[in-house]
Amino acid sequence: MACMLLLVLSCTGFGAADTIATGMTDDSGSGGGSSLFSHGPYLTGTTVNETTVNWLSSLAVGGTVSCAGDAYYRETGRYEQEVTDDADTSLHHVHLTGLQPDTTYHYMVTIGRETSGDLTFRTFPENGPFTFIVYGDTQEQIPYFTQAERHALVAERIAAAEPDALFVMHMGDTVCVVEDGEEWNRFFAAGNSLFANTTVMPVMGNHENNASVWYDTFGMPEWYSFDCGDAHFVVLDSNDWTAPHFDEEAAWLRADLAANQECRENSPAARTFVAFHHPPYSSDTRHPGGWTDLRDLWGPILEEYGVDMVFNGHVHAYQRYAVNGVQYVVAPPGGGLLYNLTDEKTEGYAASAAQELGYVRVTVDKDGVSSVFVPVAAVSMDSRAVTKVFPVGAEFDPVRIGHDDGVAGVIGMMSEGLFSLLN
């Protein structure tokens, strides 16, 4: 199936000074010089029939996106269509429309004589099973570690071990200093193999500071919702700068969930997920109890509309709480400093794993929702050293939410003493 390409461009303050090497292919064979890709390509805004290919070039130059359906590419080794963007801009957003649901596509970005190489993405299904990934807090902490030393461990593991994941929900705090173009480059370089082939759905964290660069980079609003298969996703902004508008956001949340419930009233398998940065429930030493104001404001709405899972970040330790039928999951950090947890746990506590980087894998199917924490690396108590890299296949705290009976099974597993399950 051919790709219909609609070109949309935007500029930001990123510039040539922000260049880093990205390992892209120079077809000229010169083998020298810096890459024209400061970062990217990366994917955002995927639906059943479109996606957006993004990249930042080190110079204000144009580029070309080539695209083909998987069947055509496998048969011919070529792309079906291409569009050349010759606008003098650095940050590019190219919307690919007219795609088929639940279909794999190949694409390539070319700048001058340099190419990204062949990459792939998959459109969302209209129904049926799918898998997605949740992680966040990937900010580096110089001089102790960079994105390449921590975030890359998690992002590369996801890319290699989760080829069927349709998208990644990043729970915020992508970088430490939001206006630091060099760290944005390191963020995308660390996650290059992941973000070039898997859509990222971003959540705004406190380190994003409501800065224009976040909006420019991801092309998403402060709060938004989207559908994938038989599931509905809502992304909220829980940061301080939104506090004066929390009532407005709560009203929007209620209206969005009500509209979703109405349109899905004949789809009993429908599932609902909500994501925002600050956890309403937490047992960490810095924020014992969690953000109770968010509990009071959004909790009753989440319960009223039967939200299955709430994903959070900010507190750098995997945690899970079960409260009034809602599973609250604090996603594990993807690279940031690790937080300590208290001995006494907050109400609803079910499981936790401290001092570990990793991600949560979530699968939605006709029977319900399953999630599991996948540890990638153990980190020392002072967060300065990686002490162990977990083997592929290590998992902890599998959860199954059944169709009618809520949580059908919750199993905590420990393996070789690697997991710090705190009771």
Side-chain angles (χ1 to χ4, degrees):
M1 178 62 65
C3 307
M4 181 182 297
L5 304 184
L6 173 64
L7 183 64
V8 179
L9 306 174
S10 66
C11 305
T12 71
F14 282 125
D18 301 319
T19 304
I20 64 169
T22 60
M24 300 297 178
T25 302
D26 183 353
D27 288 337
S28 69
S30 63
S34 299
S35 172
L36 289 172
F37 289 89
S38 286
H39 59 240
Y42 58 99
L43 301 161
T44 59
T46 300
T47 68
V48 295
N49 55 19
E50 62 184 65
T51 195
T52 301
V53 179
N54 315 266
W55 73 91
L56 179 74
S57 55
S58 59
L59 301 174
V61 295
T64 297
V65 176
S66 306
C67 177
D70 183 61
Y72 181 90
Y73 185 85
R74 286 177 179 273
E75 180 180 351
T76 68
R78 302 199 312 247
Y79 299 96
E80 295 179 87
Q81 294 190 13
E82 66 179 31
V83 60
T84 297
D85 158 32
D86 55 6
D88 294 332
T89 59
S90 296
L91 182 61
H92 301 257
H93 306 292
V94 177
H95 300 306
L96 280 60
T97 65
L99 308 176
Q100 294 299 302
D102 198 17
T103 300
T104 298
Y105 288 87
H106 292 252
Y107 78 97
M108 181 176 68
V109 177
T110 303
I111 306 176
R113 301 175 71 182
E114 186 178 1
T115 74
S116 64
D118 182 58
L119 303 166
T120 62
F121 66 88
R122 194 167 122 227
T123 51
F124 289 178
E126 294 178 320
N127 50 59
F130 66 93
T131 296
F132 64 97
I133 302 299
V134 183
Y135 84 127
D137 293 283
T138 50
Q139 68 269 39
E140 63 191 18
Q141 195 71 37
I142 292 176
Y144 304 124
F145 55 84
T146 67
Q147 297 261 354
E149 293 165 322
R150 296 292 171 86
H151 177 208
L153 289 173
V154 179
E156 290 173 1
R157 174 66 65 85
I158 297 171
E162 309 292 349
D164 295 329
L166 273 184
F167 61 91
V168 171
M169 295 198 79
H170 192 291
M171 296 309 304
D173 288 358
T174 46
V175 296
C176 186
V177 181
V178 71
E179 299 294 351
D180 183 357
E182 291 288 352
E183 188 181 354
W184 277 103
N185 288 345
R186 290 191 291 272
F187 167 78
F188 280 107
N192 182 63
S193 58
L194 175 61
F195 302 140
N197 297 283
T198 308
T199 298
V200 58
M201 294 293 190
V203 176
M204 186 177 288
N206 54 292
H207 278 269
E208 277 73 36
N209 202 31
N210 205 28
S212 61
V213 63
W214 185 89
Y215 297 96
D216 292 337
T217 298
F218 295 113
M220 305 300 284
E222 241 179 314
W223 56 80
Y224 61 95
S225 65
F226 65 95
D227 293 331
C228 181
D230 293 319
H232 184 66
F233 295 80
V234 181
V235 175
L236 300 173
D237 184 358
S238 61
N239 290 284
D240 290 345
W241 55 77
T242 311
H245 310 290
F246 272 167
D247 288 342
E248 174 189 349
E249 192 172 8
W252 176 88
L253 170 64
R254 179 180 292 278
D256 181 89
L257 292 177
N260 174 66
Q261 188 177 76
E262 180 178 354
C263 75
R264 291 175 179 269
E265 61 182 2
N266 295 321
S267 178
R271 295 295 171 180
T272 307
F273 304 92
V274 174
F276 50 92
H277 188 62
H278 299 86
Y281 298 89
S282 179
S283 300
D284 68 295
T285 55
R286 299 188 186 189
H287 313 95
W291 275 254
T292 56
D293 57 335
L294 299 178
R295 262 195 238 178
D296 297 338
L297 180 65
W298 293 338
I301 303 174
L302 304 176
E303 294 170 17
E304 178 183 351
Y305 288 96
V307 169
D308 293 287
M309 279 187 166
V310 174
F311 301 111
N312 306 116
H314 192 69
V315 175
H316 302 178
Y318 172 79
Q319 300 170 76
R320 184 174 58 82
Y321 300 81
V323 181
N324 296 332
V326 181
Q327 295 286 319
Y328 291 84
V329 177
V330 183
L337 288 169
L338 280 299
Y339 286 12
N340 296 322
L341 299 178
T342 58
D343 292 334
E344 184 177 348
K345 298 300 184 290
T346 300
E347 63 179 283
Y349 172 81
S352 62
Q355 300 306 124
E356 289 156 10
L357 305 176
Y359 59 92
V360 175
R361 180 177 66 243
V362 186
T363 298
V364 180
D365 58 32
K366 63 181 179 62
D367 297 320
V369 178
S370 60
S371 75
V372 67
F373 166 49
V374 181
V376 173
V379 179
S380 61
M381 291 299 294
D382 62 5
S383 290
R384 297 191 182 189
V386 172
T387 59
K388 185 174 183 69
V389 175
F390 294 106
V392 174
E395 297 181 352
F396 172 61
D397 190 35
V399 178
R400 179 74 182 176
I401 301 176
H403 176 60
D404 292 319
D405 56 354
V407 179
V410 178
I411 305 170
M413 297 186 304
M414 300 182 69
S415 174
E416 299 178 2
L418 299 178
F419 304 111
S420 48
L421 178 60
L422 304 177
N423 296 307

